[in-house]
Amino acid sequence: MSWLGAVRTATGGLLRHKVQAVVIGLVLLISTASATLGLALLVASNGPFDHAFGVQHGADVTVTVNTARASSAELAATRQLAGVAAAAGPFASSTVRLQMSGQSLGERTLAGRASPGGPVDDVVLTAGHWPDGPGQVVLDTGGRGSGPGSGGTELGSTLTVTGLPRTAALTVVGFGNSITGTADGWVTPAEIARLRGPGAAASAQLLFRFTQAANYAQVRADVAEVTRALPAATVTGAASWLAAADQAAGNGAIMEPFVVAFALIGLVMAVLIVGNVISGAVVAGYQRIGVLKSIGLSPGQVMVVYLSRVGWPALAGCVAGMFLGNLLAVPVLQGSARAYGVGSQHAPWWTSVLALAGMLALTALAALGPALRAGRLSATEAIAAGRAPRSGRGYAVHRLAARLRLPRPVSLGLAAPTARPARTMVTLAAITFGATAVIFAFGLHSSLSRAAQSQSLSSTVPVQLQPFGPGTGTGPQQTPGAAQDAAATAALHAQPGTRHDVAVYLNQVKVPGIAGSANAWAFGGDAAWTGYGMIEGQWYDAPGEVDVNTAFLDQSGLAVGETATVNTGTAQVTVRIAGEVFDPGSQPELFGSEQTLPGVATDVNLQQYDVGLRPGTNAAAYIQAVNARLGANSLWQATTPDDGNFYSIASDLVGLLALMVAVAAGLGVLNTVLMTTRDRVHDLGVFKALGMRPGQVLTMVVCWIAGPAVLAAAIAAPAAVALNAATVRAMAGAAHTGVPASFTQVFPPSRLALLSLAALAIAVGGALLPASWAARARPAVALRAE
């Protein structure tokens, strides 16, 4: 037969085996999409801040200046200073207090910019448009409580600026990202004058990129150079890119462990399933190979026939999967960009090329071995190999199963996997990986939810009173006095929904062994109800006891149960460390009562009131009632605590990645059952001719996969528990904190048993389609299909 005839034969075989071609295409589609998305996530988690900082021309230093003390020419002259690589501004700025629907959003710095781009600090719009008229604002997605869906702010939300002679309203027309957080929001340049209160200094931002700004010493030298070039007292503040980099590095490090875990699971799944599908497709065609060789095809032509049969649907599936992977990567990378605090993330072109080339290469390697063997087989050997598994395989298990008191279809189905042990092992691995991913996803979601609640105290402290009153950001700083503090306490006690409330004070203290200062939080009453997560020990319950975070222990070299000397500025006290609190970050923190930390609980250090509500109390209605009682002129306002959006974004990523892995595993099972059905189609015809009913055939075929599924569940459950614990600890280690035991103890026996059914669900879901075909097929059709 000619080579052209061989190609025609391959094409004809492809058309006659449409189901197999569709399965190959779907498996390669999902596998390539999973590989593309996995590679994109791996790349995105590798230095996201550094990449975005270069792309967005991040500002090395944001210098705030008093424009009344320097002329425009003097400010412009700073662009020519030695060491300045690029500069932008001055951009007029103002710090304001914002409210939305009567709820305070805190203090925000707004800058006036005509456009988002420029030589320094290219703001990336993530939604909406740039302000082009009065009364419009774009909020920074990296800012506290900002971003779509965070803090209730959405496109079209109306924000009220308090503390001005005339109330000003701003409509949110967009969200953007400044990689170094130069401002919390942007308005048109002309809008800034309207947002400055009477007596407020005229301020502006100068944004610089320097030739040398790699460390804090170089940044300080750069700021000093700018300060010397301007009149005295012109520079009122400076913010370094290094602080933003440190925070972003922490976010990236927290994200990376679970992103890598899911990406690797997806890639391994792709390898296993593709190898199983392709090699199975070739092996299933051995009988036809024998027929082709008997009519004159050479070994090379046989290889072409079968490589073509799997090659064309594989190519179509890989190409479609590459496009699907890129489509899925868009929302996933948008979520990861928000979690990392960068403007945007995109899958580089080479990840698509690598995923496509890798899957095609894997397909060729998986098919080449069986195809080479097929080419070497004689016609008789090929026909014999295609008719049945190797002689002797599974007979002992079939005899053992026949002795069990089980329905015959069940015993036949349970014994069937032993006839193809290699295929069964690959299927077992695919189900195990899929079930592990599903159980891991549920566990990690629960762990992240507990971490979010512990860090934000959202479940125990749904309401806070904070000093967000009028004028606090538009002129000389105002702080509530003793009378307003007493009024705030009275307002809380007057509400029937108040169950707990406690005043929270913050000041910096000195502790031997800790470079710099530590943050000391003093509580003006019982604070055990606030629900801080305890890594070790217990919440303080006696005078002289404090709790500290992991960074405090690491930097001081102390341990729970030991004593520390604390200098509060007014007194030096010796305290006993009662417990280690879950409080991520590199800043040392300690928590104690106002009696234990004298001098911290003063009016000027009062930060907030934490409020716990009675069961059934609506937090929004409670906040509205408290603010109404406090009045519009109060410096205190009730609000909901900011819990950020990292944990919700991470949970969304976990769900999507787990779904992809589970679908890929289900396709792998479908392929296995389909191949097994083709292997045993003659047996099915005989069984049905002997009287086996469709329901019994369906039961038998599903049982083909039940044994591996049960074993996969037994393997996946402990594997997912261990993977979840390791991932949570890796994420916590990246955030410089320990982990409360409750964060990893999210699998009670009942839940773990229920989640283990994921293996059975994946197996049965993949097996139902070929099992239904087998059940419906008439005996004559099954016998002819051989």
Side-chain angles (χ1 to χ4, degrees), residues 52-396:
F53 187 80
V55 172
Q56 296 178 227
H57 310 295
D60 290 332
V61 176
T62 302
V63 177
T64 304
V65 296
N66 184 337
T67 55
R69 296 183 178 273
S71 66
S72 299
E74 288 173 320
L75 295 176
T78 59
R79 299 170 179 265
Q80 309 303 321
L81 293 175
V84 174
F91 301 121
S93 64
S94 177
T95 300
V96 300
R97 295 283 182 175
L98 298 178
Q99 287 184 350
M100 187 179 70
S101 302
Q103 180 178 337
S104 175
L105 299 181
E107 187 177 85
R108 304 294 175 88
T109 297
L110 303 181
R113 290 181 60 168
S115 65
V120 180
D121 189 37
D122 186 2
V123 179
V124 175
L125 274 173
T126 57
H129 65 86
W130 196 253
D132 54 13
Q136 298 181 359
V137 64
V138 165
L139 296 181
D140 181 29
T141 55
R144 178 172 61 89
S146 63
S150 178
T153 55
E154 301 287 349
L155 289 177
S157 297
T158 299
L159 309 181
T160 303
V161 183
T162 62
L164 300 177
R166 297 181 61 182
T167 301
L170 296 174
T171 300
V172 179
V173 297
F175 292 94
N177 174 267
S178 167
I179 187 62
T180 46
T182 57
D184 299 312
W186 298 271
V187 295
T188 60
E191 190 79 1
I192 291 296
R194 187 170 71 101
L195 299 178
R196 284 201 182 107
S203 64
Q205 295 179 338
L206 297 176
L207 312 180
F208 294 97
R209 287 175 68 91
F210 294 96
T211 55
Q212 291 186 329
N215 53 54
Y216 284 102
Q218 292 177 347
V219 169
R220 284 194 295 269
D222 295 331
V223 173
E225 183 179 7
V226 175
T227 303
R228 287 192 300 267
L230 294 171
T234 299
V235 174
T236 59
S240 166
W241 74 279
L242 293 169
D246 290 342
Q247 181 179 0
N251 289 342
I254 294 172
M255 288 277 288
E256 189 170 358
F258 83 83
V259 168
V260 171
F262 268 112
L264 292 179
I265 287 176
L267 292 175
V268 172
M269 283 283 294
V271 171
L272 284 172
I273 295 172
V274 170
N276 187 29
V277 167
I278 302 304
S279 61
V282 177
V283 171
Y286 273 171
Q287 183 178 3
R288 180 173 173 81
I289 290 171
V291 174
L292 294 177
K293 297 198 78 171
S294 67
I295 62 174
L297 263 69
S298 67
Q301 290 172 327
V302 170
M303 287 182 56
V304 169
V305 168
Y306 278 88
L307 289 177
S308 298
R309 277 186 56 183
V310 300
W312 289 115
L315 177 61
C318 286
V319 172
M322 180 185 67
F323 285 105
L324 176 62
N326 280 282
L327 287 176
L328 291 173
V330 171
V332 171
L333 292 180
Q334 286 178 348
S336 69
R338 285 168 35 222
Y340 287 134
V342 300
S344 62
Q345 290 184 319
H346 304 282
W349 62 269
W350 61 263
T351 58
S352 300
V353 175
L354 184 59
L356 177 63
M359 287 297 111
L360 289 176
L362 181 63
T363 300
L365 289 175
L368 187 59
L372 285 173
R373 179 170 179 260
R376 291 195 301 266
L377 288 174
S378 67
T380 304
E381 290 173 329
I383 292 174
R387 287 186 60 87
R390 186 174 299 174
S391 177
R393 280 186 177 174
Y395 289 169

Side-chain angles (χ1 to χ4, degrees), residues 349-597:
W349 62 269
W350 61 263
T351 58
S352 300
V353 175
L354 184 59
L356 177 63
M359 287 297 111
L360 289 176
L362 181 63
T363 300
L365 289 175
L368 187 59
L372 285 173
R373 179 170 179 260
R376 291 195 301 266
L377 288 174
S378 67
T380 304
E381 290 173 329
I383 292 174
R387 287 186 60 87
R390 186 174 299 174
S391 177
R393 280 186 177 174
Y395 289 169
V397 177
H398 274 281
R399 287 194 295 270
L400 177 62
R403 297 175 184 174
L404 300 177
R405 295 181 180 276
L406 294 172
R408 192 58 178 155
V410 174
S411 63
L412 287 171
L414 293 176
T418 58
R420 296 286 191 187
R423 182 182 297 169
T424 300
M425 292 303 296
V426 174
T427 304
L428 172 64
I431 301 175
T432 302
F433 273 99
T436 300
V438 172
I439 300 173
F440 175 38
F442 275 93
L444 189 56
H445 182 274
S446 298
S447 296
L448 291 176
S449 296
R450 293 187 181 185
Q453 292 175 2
S454 178
Q455 188 171 350
S456 68
L457 305 179
S458 58
S459 61
T460 54
V461 184
V463 176
Q464 288 180 339
L465 251 65
Q466 296 183 347
F468 289 160
T472 55
T474 58
Q477 183 70 27
Q478 299 181 31
T479 56
Q484 290 206 348
D485 295 345
T489 303
L492 294 177
H493 293 171
Q495 300 302 317
T498 303
R499 183 177 185 180
H500 302 286
D501 67 275
V502 62
V504 183
Y505 304 86
L506 171 65
N507 198 17
Q508 292 190 327
V509 298
K510 293 289 185 179
V511 179
I514 294 180
S517 301
N519 288 333
W521 298 84
F523 296 91
D526 176 29
W529 60 270
T530 53
Y532 282 87
M534 301 302 302
I535 300 169
E536 183 182 357
Q538 61 184 19
W539 187 254
Y540 70 86
D541 60 1
E545 291 186 343
V546 298
D547 293 291
V548 301
N549 67 345
T550 306
F552 185 100
L553 297 179
D554 291 342
Q555 296 183 30
S556 67
L558 298 173
V560 173
E562 296 182 346
T563 59
T565 301
V566 179
N567 188 334
T568 65
T570 60
Q572 184 167 294
V573 295
T574 300
V575 298
R576 176 182 172 273
I577 301 175
E580 180 182 359
V581 172
F582 175 72
D583 186 33
S586 57
Q587 177 64 34
E589 312 270 352
L590 71 155
F591 308 81
S593 66
E594 57 182 347
Q595 294 83 10
T596 300
L597 300 171

